[in-house]
Amino acid sequence: APRRIRDRAAGGIGISRHLGPRAWVLLPIASSGRHAGGMDAVAAAHLARARELHQASRWEESCAEYTAADAVEPLAVEDLEAFAEAAQVSARGDEAAALLHRVFDLRVSAGELDAAAQVAFWLWWVLLNNNQFVQASGWLKQTSRTLGAAMGNSLWLRIPEAMFQATTGHRSRAEQLLSERIEEMTSGEK
């Protein structure tokens, strides 16, 4: 565990540093190679850089740093989502799809079905953009089985169906699918 020292001058590696009346930052302990939050120090450094690059929309560099961090220690779900976004924007569709599969599995395992439905939509979208139409269709069917009937009304899962209806000449059905769900969602807000 990191040592806590209440000395403003003490700020070396492995020592808590006092930044204000109630703010403390736990720095990594050099000898153990582990970050104060439990993450490997090397992975933590790559992850911090990846987040910074992602925020700056430097997608390729962000992907490289996320890859390095993930190779040392599996990324948290939020970082996997950011990594997938960077991969998709960098035209790394296959990598984005693989990352979104991991995110989906993590969300389902955590019982976060609404978030999983949103991820399912984005994975479907990535597959479409990769011209993997059969896989995209199969993914929606697998998602429905995985998430169950309770998620059938998810707006995220209705969007693909509405797009299919609209592109096959059934625009009124597409509008109906989305407007019904939007009506359900907004009626609960009143």
Side-chain angles (χ1 to χ4, degrees):
R3 292 172 283 168
R4 293 179 186 259
I5 297 175
R6 295 184 184 265
D7 180 0
R8 287 179 193 261
I13 299 296
I15 299 172
S16 299
R17 185 174 194 177
H18 184 59
L19 299 175
R22 296 197 173 165
W24 287 86
V25 174
L26 298 177
L27 300 174
I29 297 174
S31 61
S32 72
R34 304 295 292 177
H35 185 270
M39 178 176 254
D40 181 271
V42 172
H46 283 296
L47 186 55
R49 182 77 176 132
R51 290 172 177 164
E52 177 184 306
L53 292 164
H54 183 271
Q55 187 69 28
S57 300
R58 294 171 56 188
W59 308 116
E60 286 290 332
E61 295 166 275
S62 176
C63 284
E65 292 294 333
Y66 278 124
T67 299
D70 196 39
V72 176
E73 193 166 315
L75 297 175
V77 69
E78 293 81 8
D79 292 312
L80 284 172
E81 288 174 332
F83 186 5
E85 177 185 38
Q88 179 63 16
V89 173
S90 298
R92 297 172 162 191
D94 290 340
E95 188 174 6
L99 291 164
L100 288 170
H101 270 286
R102 285 175 61 190
V103 172
F104 179 80
D105 290 343
L106 289 169
R107 295 284 189 201
V108 169
S109 294
E112 300 169 353
L113 299 185
D114 289 330
Q118 184 176 356
V119 173
F121 167 80
W122 288 113
L123 179 51
W124 170 80
W125 186 253
V126 166
L127 292 170
L128 282 184
N129 285 313
N130 289 346
N131 294 320
Q132 297 174 339
F133 304 111
V134 173
Q135 291 89 339
S137 176
W139 170 245
L140 289 179
K141 289 178 180 153
Q142 179 184 339
T143 297
S144 295
R145 285 191 303 271
T146 301
L147 298 180
M151 294 309 298
N153 285 331
S154 168
L155 181 59
W156 288 106
L157 298 180
R158 284 208 181 170
I159 292 170
E161 176 63 21
M163 287 179 69
F164 173 77
Q165 294 294 332
T167 58
T168 57
H170 302 97
R171 292 181 186 205
S172 60
R173 176 66 183 137
E175 183 180 335
Q176 178 186 11
L177 279 169
L178 295 178
S179 62
E180 286 173 356
R181 183 62 184 126
I182 291 169
E183 177 71 28
E184 292 168 9
M185 291 169 60
T186 57
S187 67
E189 295 174 4
K190 294 177 185 177

